[in-house]
Amino acid sequence: MKYLQKSGRLCLVALLALLAFQPAQMRAAEEGGTDVDVKEIVLGHMSDAYDWHITTWDGHHISIPLPVIVKGETSGWHVFSSSRIAEGETYEGFYINEEKNGKIYEKLTDGTEVRPLDLSITKDVLQIWIVVALMLTIFLGAARWYRKRDCSADAPKGFVGLVEMFVMMVYDDIIKPSIGEKLCKPYAPFLLTAFFFIFITNLLGLLPIFPGGANVTGNITITFFLAFCVMLIINLFGNKEYWKEIFWPDVPTWLKLPVPLMPVIELFGIFTKPFALMVRLFANMMGGHATILSLTCVIFITCQMGIAIGASLSFVSFLLMIFMNALELLVAFIQAYVFTMLSAVFIGLAHPEPHAHAEKA
């Protein structure tokens, strides 16, 4: 019975994805269009935007406008709704330049186009705020439950028990073995925050409609910031032995002098470790979203070939969509787990024990 319920939920997610795209394809058919622009649909969904597009109905885009906050070259700060610059319109000299990744540009009086200082609340930013609000609600609610009980109380059940299970799993199975029981406590808050932020963001990204659907962890800027934070923690709080292994590793002298071969390689590793974290999370999440959206587009492409071919191929595509959504649920957890585990391992490597040279001799 439980498996039937899970399958039903996955089917519902796939149907919602179809409903999210169907109005746009109906509009294209009504206007005489015969081609489905897969590239525009896939890249348009995964890219950041100044509004939150819900769907298209009868040729009208239904979107949630977001605040645009920009500083002009000479006109100072401007704050206005993104609906004023939608559909290629210009407002106070600002417009969205589709040829340059859909960013806001300003057209000056002399005709030149410049990129203003942009602090707008985009779709990805709003999605991050939603995730932060969810995390505060979840953990403050769990903390309130523990505050009302003492150590002799029974273990929590329900949602609080689920939260405790995830927290203890990350702490006992990832953080403590990787960093060590003595040093893990100062780093546990950051690693737990990173795990739940990535996990919840990945889950919301699988929802085809608001408040989900934004491709936050598929944005390399976000993964770069997460990896950059890990790099700072590793190198700012690494002990003396860590830096000794970088600049004067325990290798034969000819590998260090006169050509510092090993120190250069170890120094290069300071940047390759967070780079691997950034690319791994970005590529896996972007690839999963692109695959699901491409399978959705197959349904509308095959429907243009005829009822018989379209119905059979659409059914196959629908089954693949269900499979991919189930797989992405697993990937959403695995990527959060792997990012946290590798971060904990790198932090643990920044606190090596002093080498006992006397024992080796």
Side-chain angles (χ1 to χ4, degrees), residues 175-188:
I175 300 176
K176 189 183 293 185
S178 301
I179 302 178
E181 189 172 358
K182 296 181 180 179
L183 299 173
C184 67
K185 289 185 178 180
Y187 303 102

Side-chain angles (χ1 to χ4, degrees), residues 132-149 156-164 167:
V132 171
L134 285 174
M135 291 177 64
L136 289 174
T137 303
I138 291 171
F139 293 111
L140 290 179
R144 190 178 301 110
W145 187 93
Y146 285 103
R147 193 180 298 113
K148 295 178 180 179
R149 289 163 178 80
K157 299 180 181 179
F159 185 75
V160 177
L162 180 66
V163 174
E164 181 183 286
V167 171

Side-chain angles (χ1 to χ4, degrees), residues 249-269:
D250 189 15
V251 295
T253 306
W254 63 272
L255 292 174
K256 298 178 287 187
L257 290 174
V259 179
L261 179 62
M262 287 305 298
V264 170
I265 294 175
E266 293 292 339
L267 190 63
F268 189 68

Side-chain angles (χ1 to χ4, degrees), residues 8-29:
R9 295 191 188 99
L10 293 175
C11 290
L12 178 60
V13 171
L15 286 173
L16 288 174
L18 286 175
L19 292 174
F21 286 103
Q22 188 175 11
Q25 304 304 325
M26 291 174 60
R27 176 180 62 84

